Amino acid sequence: MHASRVERAERLGRRAVRVCDGLLDVLVLTFAAWTVVYHACLVLDLGAAIALAAWAAVVVPGTWLWLRTGCTQGGGTVRGDDPPRRRLALPLTAVRAAHVLVAVLAAALFAFTDVPWALVWIAWFLAAAGTVVVVTLAAADRPEEPGATGQRQAETATTWPATLLALAWAPALAVLSLFLVRPDGDDTLYVRLSTWIAAYGEFPLRDVVFSDEGLPAVIYPPVTSFEALVGAVSYVTGLSAAGLVYLVATPVASALAVLAVWRLLRTWGLAKAWLALSLALLFLLADAGSHRTLGNFFVARLWQGKVVFLAVLVPLLFVFLHDYVRRPTTRGLVLLAAGGAAAVGLSSTAVFVAPVVAAGCLLPLLRRSPRTALAGLAGVCAYPVLTAAVTVAVGSRRAADYPESAVDAELLTHFVLGDGVLAFLALAAVLLGPVLLTRATPALMTAGVGLLVTSLFAPEVPRLVYDVTDLGRVLWRLTWALPIAALVGVLLGAALERIRRPALSALALAAVGVVLLVAGTPVWSASAGTRVASEPSWKRPAWTTSAARRVLAEAGEGDVILAPERLSQTIIVRSGRVTTVAPRRFYVRALRDVPGAHAEERLLLLSFATNGLGSPGETDEPAVVRALRIVGVDIACVPADEPDAHELLVDAGYRRFTPPGTISCFSAESSSR
């Protein structure tokens, strides 16, 4: 009886794995289809309702056909069936011992010292090259043979207790994400776009932050389709766009991120994928030390398309590429092409990150089968490259221009990896993690991507890329091509997986988690800029949500509202039918070259709304009154403790309509509502 129950549980566990993997495949395919439909609607000037109808017409039969043919798809040749490699017991040879020393030295120089970048990079490059050499030699140690060992490892990785633990992480982090409130300035553009589409049912090509398409867009062309999908669903269903973003997309993406990393670790053949997954997630939860570190691009920000790209799609690209290298099929090529299109739909960053992932992963296949490798590369890169070409052809705009000093290689890498213990662990994992993988193909692929990314951060290479492509500080996202969290799980898991007793294994895992959280900055800490709410909450400062409600109750359609930055942002993510004067200083400055945008007047009014008339660099009252008239402010909100500002607004024809509080708001008497 007991054996029968265990058998049934194992079958359920394996079925759960297949369902989760199939769900990820279908979601990538359907979102890729949405991206193509959205771009077609932009060109044809079709609205949100038509776009959703066209998407459904493509997705419903396409998904049915994909699932129906999933079990019978064949035709490819397994290339060595992922031959198992001998686990590298370090130090095993002089070469391997030297590699470990150089890798540790490179990680220590990067994380704990301030030596010239050239020295750090040389050590990093030598270690990355050593990783490629070691995994190549290890792959050659054994002849290609049927992957019996790999198969046994895969079965071990999907036993029901392991599956249960891995699946438990998904709802746990989904729930956690609902209570973490970490406001982000990028919502000014991206969530606002969803809100505006929800209000009007159209896909804009021009600005919707400061006007209703009356100015050029701050970022152009509007490549990403994620915000458009949320806006279109909101428009058709009547649900709040901001509510969909913050309370639906965030937990769903958090759960999918867990499933994606878990699938990648199983694809790598780890016997204890659940252990590596737990360690990888603990690392991410602890790595929120600065705005761009990997932990800050995780559950606390997983409502943004670019974060979904990093946390969900990049691991899946590694999975799709691995499967294609092992068994090149038309089905695999379709997934690669869908991954490339979906990546663009999530973030314009995919234009240069996805090709780096593909090139690094396909290097092992290039020597054996160049035609197949090039087909795979074309599959991933087709949509990103086409998007880049169209962007150049139509003339792009971006929020800021950066000097060459902003693309310094040392600065860019520290943006993501940070400093200290977690930075050391991250770089050590990139350099040593591939060596610890027991399957040849993933070891070669991750080592290849690591060497390629390392080469791109050579002292003068980012500046050269900047000169050629005009990409600025965003080049720090090249590090996103590295599956760092998963490799941290591999590195730490190699030390813990030898513990046989479950109780001791759980105790060791908990101890490592505590060390990571103490050494790093947890995503829920105030020092990470996060507030833990008492209930599922929008990712906006609490005081702004109630204030925005009061302002919008007074506002009419098309009103222009002046308020401090945080309040302005909350107002325009709540309603697509009003605009604000200066919701983000960074974006206002991008309008300085736009005639009729009144960027200087907007900046003056933002200072007035933030600090009243007594602000540093203050301007006389007539200048403020003139700016109010030029920009056409209908509602003005200023600090409650600035009586001079209140008097100015009353004299300029505004009346107060809010009760006493931290913010006092005034409505123009002449405004028609």
Side-chain angles (χ1 to χ4, degrees):
M1 183 71 72
H2 175 70
S4 174
R5 283 200 302 268
V6 171
E7 241 178 75
R8 193 160 53 248
E10 294 293 350
R11 284 198 302 272
L12 287 173
R14 287 191 289 271
R15 186 177 300 171
V17 169
R18 289 195 297 271
V19 168
C20 291
D21 292 352
L23 173 65
L24 291 170
D25 287 349
V26 168
L27 288 176
V28 170
L29 288 163
T30 54
F31 185 71
W34 166 256
T35 300
V36 175
V37 168
Y38 164 69
H39 288 161
C41 289
L42 278 181
V43 173
L44 299 174
D45 194 23
L46 300 176
I50 294 176
L52 284 178
W55 183 45
V58 172
V59 163
V60 172
T63 301
W64 177 84
L65 181 63
W66 179 266
L67 295 176
R68 182 179 176 83
T69 60
C71 298
T72 58
Q73 182 72 21
T77 302
V78 178
R79 302 184 178 277
D81 199 28
D82 247 0
R85 305 187 307 114
R86 182 166 59 244
R87 169 78 66 168
L88 299 182
L90 301 174
L92 183 61
T93 66
V95 173
R96 291 164 179 165
H99 169 248
V100 173
L101 290 175
V102 175
V104 171
L105 174 64
L109 288 174
F110 177 85
F112 301 120
T113 72
D114 196 25
V115 299
W117 176 249
L119 295 178
V120 176
W121 181 82
I122 288 171
W124 186 349
F125 179 80
L126 290 174
T131 304
V132 172
V133 170
V134 170
V135 298
T136 302
L137 291 175
D141 273 350
R142 295 189 180 205
E144 293 189 353
E145 58 186 66
T149 302
Q151 181 64 31
R152 283 196 299 272
Q153 289 173 337
E155 290 173 357
T156 304
T158 56
T159 56
W160 72 266
T163 302
L164 186 63
L165 179 61
L167 291 178
W169 272 108
L173 293 187
V175 170
L176 175 65
S177 72
L178 289 170
F179 293 86
L180 299 180
V181 178
R182 186 187 180 282
D184 190 79
D186 287 346
D187 290 0
T188 310
L189 185 64
Y190 297 112
V191 181
R192 164 62 175 185
L193 181 59
S194 297
T195 304
W196 192 91
I197 293 170
Y200 295 102
E202 300 173 0
F203 299 130
L205 285 169
R206 291 170 62 81
D207 165 66
V208 296
V209 175
F210 302 97
S211 65
D212 287 327
E213 296 195 278
L215 299 169
V218 173
I219 296 178
Y220 179 84
V223 167
T224 60
S225 64
F226 181 76
E227 298 80 17
L229 177 59
V230 174
V233 171
S234 175
Y235 174 73
V236 170
T237 63
L239 298 172
S240 162
L244 288 173
V245 169
Y246 294 135
L247 301 179
V248 178
T250 304
V252 169
S254 298
L256 293 177
V258 174
L259 298 183
V261 175
W262 181 43
R263 184 175 179 182
L264 175 60
L265 292 167
R266 286 186 287 107
T267 298
W268 285 350
L270 296 183
K272 291 187 176 181
W274 65 270
L275 177 61
L277 172 67
S278 300
L279 291 164
L281 296 177
L282 287 170
F283 168 78
L284 288 172
L285 291 173
D287 190 35
S290 67
H291 182 68
R292 297 180 180 88
T293 51
L294 294 171
N296 265 326
F297 279 86
F298 192 44
V299 291
R301 284 180 71 187
L302 257 171
W303 65 85
Q304 296 178 342
K306 60 188 173 187
V307 186
V308 179
F309 168 69
L310 170 63
V312 180
L313 199 61
V314 169
L316 291 180
L317 282 177
F318 273 89
V319 172
F320 296 160
L321 286 160
H322 172 272
D323 292 347
Y324 178 77
V325 167
R326 286 189 60 233
R327 187 187 294 273
T329 62
T330 302
R331 187 181 180 86
L333 203 55
V334 169
L335 275 175
L336 291 182
V344 170
L346 290 170
S347 174
S348 57
T349 298
V351 168
F352 58 90
V353 172
V356 170
V357 174
C361 286
L362 291 171
L363 282 175
L365 183 61
L366 188 61
R367 178 177 57 85
R368 296 192 313 238
S369 181
R371 182 177 297 179
T372 304
L374 291 174
L377 183 66
V380 175
C381 297
Y383 214 85
V385 170
L386 177 62
T387 301
V390 171
T391 299
V392 171
V394 301
S396 63
R397 278 183 60 86
R398 60 188 182 190
D401 292 316
Y402 294 103
E404 284 196 2
S405 59
V407 291
D408 176 72
E410 180 177 14
L411 181 69
L412 298 176
T413 50
H414 279 285
F415 272 162
V416 178
L417 301 183
D419 297 286
V421 174
L422 267 63
F424 173 83
L425 181 60
L427 187 52
V430 168
L431 299 173
L432 295 175
V435 175
L436 297 170
L437 297 176
T438 56
R439 287 185 177 179
T441 300
L444 291 167
M445 291 170 69
T446 53
V449 175
L451 181 60
L452 181 56
V453 172
T454 303
S455 302
L456 291 171
F457 284 114
E460 294 301 321
V461 170
R463 287 193 176 93
L464 176 62
V465 174
Y466 172 68
D467 291 339
V468 172
T469 65
D470 205 31
L471 290 170
R473 185 173 286 182
V474 73
L475 286 170
W476 60 268
R477 293 182 189 169
L478 283 168
T479 53
W480 287 5
L482 299 166
I484 293 174
L487 288 171
V488 168
V490 171
L491 181 63
L492 294 177
L496 299 185
E497 70 176 11
R498 297 181 183 277
I499 301 173
R500 300 301 179 189
R501 294 185 179 180
L504 290 178
S505 182
L507 186 61
L509 177 61
V512 171
V514 170
V515 170
L516 289 173
L517 293 172
V518 170
T521 304
V523 295
W524 54 79
S525 67
S527 55
T530 304
R531 175 177 62 88
V532 180
S534 58
E535 59 184 6
S537 301
W538 287 16
K539 313 309 178 184
R540 302 299 313 157
W543 71 270
T544 67
T545 56
S546 56
R549 220 173 2 249
R550 289 197 300 269
V551 171
L552 290 171
E554 176 75 11
E557 183 167 350
D559 275 2
V560 178
I561 301 170
L562 171 65
E565 271 190 335
R566 288 293 180 92
L567 178 55
S568 292
Q569 292 167 11
T570 302
I571 287 170
I572 63 171
V573 303
R574 284 190 70 96
S575 172
R577 297 188 178 274
V578 299
T579 58
T580 56
V581 172
R584 195 180 185 192
R585 191 181 302 270
F586 175 62
Y587 293 147
V588 176
R589 289 173 179 151
L591 297 177
R592 281 176 163 162
D593 64 337
V594 177
H598 310 300
E600 297 305 326
E601 286 81 3
R602 290 177 184 272
L603 290 172
L604 170 65
L605 290 175
L606 177 59
S607 179
F608 171 67
T610 305
N611 302 300
L613 291 172
S615 59
E618 61 187 359
T619 309
D620 57 14
E621 295 184 22
V624 173
V625 174
R626 178 175 174 274
L628 289 168
R629 186 178 65 256
I630 289 175
V631 178
V633 175
D634 298 294
I635 293 177
C637 297
V638 295
D641 58 354
E642 290 290 336
D644 291 342
H646 302 174
E647 185 179 348
L648 180 148
L649 289 170
V650 171
D651 291 344
Y654 292 79
R655 63 173 178 84
R656 180 171 176 166
F657 66 86
T658 56
T662 57
I663 293 290
S664 296
C665 295
F666 297 77
S667 174
E669 295 283 3
S670 58
S671 292
S672 58
R673 293 183 174 78

